[in-house]
Amino acid sequence: MSNGGKTFFGHPWGLATLFGTEMWERFSWYGLRAILASFMIASPASQGLGLSEQTAQAVIGIYGALIYLVALPGGWIADRILGPRRSVFWGGFVIMCGHISMALPVPSAVFVWLGLLLIILGTGLLKPNISVMVGKLYPEDDDARRDAGFSLFYLGINLGAFFAPIVVGWLASGDRWHLGFGAAAVGMALGLLQYAIGGRSSLRGVGERPGMPLTPRELRRAGLLTAATVAAVAIALGVWAATGTFTLSRFTVVMTVVIVAVPIAYFAYIMLGAHDLTEDERSRMKAYIWLFAAAAIFWMIYDLAPSKLLFFAENNTDLSLFGIPIQAATTQSFNPLFIMIFVPVFAALWVKLGNRVSTAQKFAFALVMVGLSFVVMALAANLAESGRVSVWWLVLVYLIQVFGELSLSPVGLSVTTKLAPRAFKGQMLGVWFIAVSVGDAIGGQTGRLSEVMSEPAYYLLLAAMAIIAGLALFMFSRKLRAMMAEHHAPAVPPIR
């Protein structure tokens, strides 16, 4: 699709539309993420929610977990009801409404929770389906250009992620939280405007119809099932609240248990059900379960950036770079900056190493890296007991973590599709994101450890978990490689 000869760096012009839409959507997402935890722990006198750091960390964990979990029903809605193109538009619209709800300068927290719920639902519609549309811009046999197009698309993600904490963090400083939330709403509105205008010409025919539309009878059944599920959840929450035992902290624990139960039930269904799996498929799935667990441990630590590491930046660091004062939220820009710098380096490295390095070894290296980053955090936390430390400690932490992410994230979706049994090829595409959900949910609960151990001990405990898991993967990487019957495939940039 060339749009009358116009191209975007040699790619279909529709990529420019999707690039801009995703950049602004990620601006709104990462902008909110950069200030949300600080807003939650700020006192009501400072226009915040007055939560404890432990509860705020747990809430951020569940929020991040649900964002990735709802990508599964979001993809189903696009495939069976709306089609990817309309799903992206309505997802972005719901996200914008969520940010607007949070931006309302009213004392009630109801609009904050409503806003977060809308953002979760909208992201579930937009996030998986905009990536699908990028793929649909290219002919089936044009793999090389498609991979290059996803690399450009990934650049848009990180541009939005880089600028958002800087802009939104500055606007929200001085307890102007709702101004920061408003900036996130404006970012999503700009993305929607570009999508609506640019899509008329550059996306004509791309993702307009669902791939497997429901029949009217199936649609009614799906509607009734959805309504019944929502009603059951609402009744359960109402009964819980009526008992007087409902608290936000307990709610996050229940949600964590539910989220962890999802992959356990799913893998049990695959392995124990009557699906006529071959011996090779069973062997590959057993190997994948170990990789899934490793990924969950990685994300458990890696996605503490918008909570635990943000609190450390706020409370324990001298917030200045090269003598220039910065906001605590600005530290969230270190990660996307390093990703943009090192993506081509790691891509070239994996090509050079070829099949000498297995997927299990890449995952193991990632776990060791994220563990070492928390060894650095333990050292910084120990020094911080005597006073504020340089923010360059966090720069080093994020640098080490990015080395880990670029070793694990790019191959996650690839290995998921490669190891999936034939009967589960389509469904397994969303399983990788469930690993992120599990990691985020459990990571949020680890904040409770701070109540019974020192900050350095907390970081060392999580570091030890990751490093031990990484070393175990290294030890068994040869066996896992045999179980997977692995052959080398080029890695593509991670899509987050």
Side-chain angles (χ1 to χ4, degrees), residues 112 117 372:
V112 173
L117 176 61
L372 289 177

Side-chain angles (χ1 to χ4, degrees), residues 196-213:
I197 295 174
R200 291 174 185 172
S201 57
S202 65
L203 295 176
R204 192 176 299 141
V206 177
E208 287 185 351
R209 292 183 175 87
M212 298 172 59

Side-chain angles (χ1 to χ4, degrees), residues 286-421:
K286 289 176 183 177
Y288 182 75
I289 290 171
W290 288 107
L291 296 178
F292 181 95
I297 294 172
F298 177 86
W299 298 119
M300 177 186 73
I301 295 176
Y302 188 88
D303 277 349
L304 290 177
S307 55
K308 194 68 178 179
L309 299 193
L310 181 65
F311 298 149
F312 185 84
E314 203 165 51
N315 302 326
N316 301 108
T317 66
D318 177 16
L319 288 168
S320 66
L321 282 173
F322 305 107
I324 302 173
I326 63 172
Q327 302 296 324
T330 303
T331 60
Q332 302 295 290
S333 292
F334 299 158
N335 174 279
L337 175 62
F338 286 138
I339 288 176
M340 288 187 287
I341 292 172
F342 287 102
V343 156
V345 176
F346 272 76
L349 176 64
W350 298 138
V351 170
K352 185 174 182 179
L353 290 173
N355 58 8
R356 287 175 289 174
V357 179
S358 68
T359 297
Q361 288 171 327
K362 291 176 182 178
F363 274 50
F365 177 78
L367 284 170
V368 171
M369 286 295 99
V370 81
L372 289 177
S373 76
F374 265 35
V375 172
V376 174
M377 277 304 305
L379 294 172
N382 187 60
L383 291 173
E385 291 178 351
S386 302
R388 289 182 177 265
V389 299
S390 171
V391 77
W392 286 101
W393 282 97
L394 283 176
V395 173
L396 178 59
V397 167
Y398 284 118
L399 176 63
I400 297 172
Q401 288 191 350
V402 162
F403 290 164
E405 183 188 5
L406 294 179
S407 304
L408 178 142
S409 190
V411 297
L413 279 173
S414 174
V415 76
T416 298
T417 55
K418 183 170 61 177
L419 300 182

Side-chain angles (χ1 to χ4, degrees), residues 198-263:
R200 291 174 185 172
S201 57
S202 65
L203 295 176
R204 192 176 299 141
V206 177
E208 287 185 351
R209 292 183 175 87
M212 298 172 59
L214 296 176
T215 65
R217 182 180 179 182
E218 290 173 330
L219 186 59
R220 286 193 299 271
R221 186 184 304 165
L224 289 173
L225 180 60
T226 301
T229 302
V230 171
V233 171
I235 291 171
L237 289 175
V239 170
W240 189 5
T243 65
T245 60
F246 178 90
T247 66
L248 190 58
S249 179
R250 289 172 180 164
F251 175 74
T252 65
V253 173
V254 171
M255 287 303 303
T256 298
V257 172
V258 171
I259 290 167
V260 171
V262 169

